[in-house]
Amino acid sequence: YGLCRPRAACCPGVAPLPSTPIKVQTFLANLPLFREIAPQELDRIALGTREQHAARGEVLFRKGDPCDGLHMVIYGHVKLAFTSASGDEKVVELVGPGQSFGEALMFMEKPYVVYAQALADSLLVHVSKSVIFEEIEREPRFARKMIAGLSRRLHGLISDLESYSLHSGTQRVIGYLLRAEPEPDTAGNVAQLKLPTSKGVIASRLNLTPEHFSRVLHELTAAGLITVDGRTVTILDLERLRTYEG
């Protein structure tokens, strides 16, 4: 059950790393869902786990495909989206390292209602629903962790609905920038972050048009709160950004 470390060939700018395989259990143990699980339990789950490499732009599954387990992102980013009857794309969620998706449909035994596409060269692990179901029957603590994860996802969806209904476009963009956990400097008031994907995809995730998203970035730049260089956003004043209302 070995996974290989990412190499420079698939991650430009990353120094080459040893190609020694790493056990699946090592990755699982560092994911929130599987933390504090005993080694023997991880061994059982690893039996139903496989690695999945996805190149940038690769579709992992399409709407209507059967859901036979859950995915977890080791590195890279994946978007979950659907296409409207008019051909417009709506991004439902952006999934990054340490996050998972597919749990709800796995339990409902329903096909996927969105499609998943890698936004960068990515490595995921897929855990089959059979091994998840067996572990839930064997270990109640694991069932509680699954319920907690689904509850967090539901809470996030409710927060999104509240944001779309009650918050302005400017407030949504500011909230996104602050949720991205930018690294502050030693003074603690200037921070920098790199957007994980294109501005158009992020705009869709925030239920904004790309033009509206760009206008907000220009507004925040003109107010002296941020600077934008490609996908790199520098927050010049964290405290002012937190309280800015436009």
Side-chain angles (χ1 to χ4, degrees), residues 1 14 22 24 27 37 40 60 75-76 84-85 95 100 110 119-120 124 126 140 145 158 169 178 207 210 218 226 237:
Y1 315 107
V14 176
I22 299 175
V24 171
F27 281 115
I37 287 183
Q40 61 268 28
L60 303 172
Y75 69 81
S84 69
V95 188
S100 60
K110 298 285 188 180
L119 296 172
L124 305 92
H126 178 271
K145 295 197 79 169
I158 292 173
L178 294 176
N207 207 32
H218 286 306
I226 67 170
D237 192 324

Side-chain angles (χ1 to χ4, degrees), residues 82-90 115:
F82 61 84
T83 304
S84 69
S86 61
D88 296 326
E89 179 186 73
K90 175 66 181 83
Y115 69 86

Side-chain angles (χ1 to χ4, degrees), residues 84-105:
S84 69
S86 61
D88 296 326
E89 179 186 73
K90 175 66 181 83
V91 178
V92 177
E93 192 165 4
L94 298 175
V95 188
Q99 296 179 307
S100 60
F101 56 94
E103 299 94 325
L105 292 171

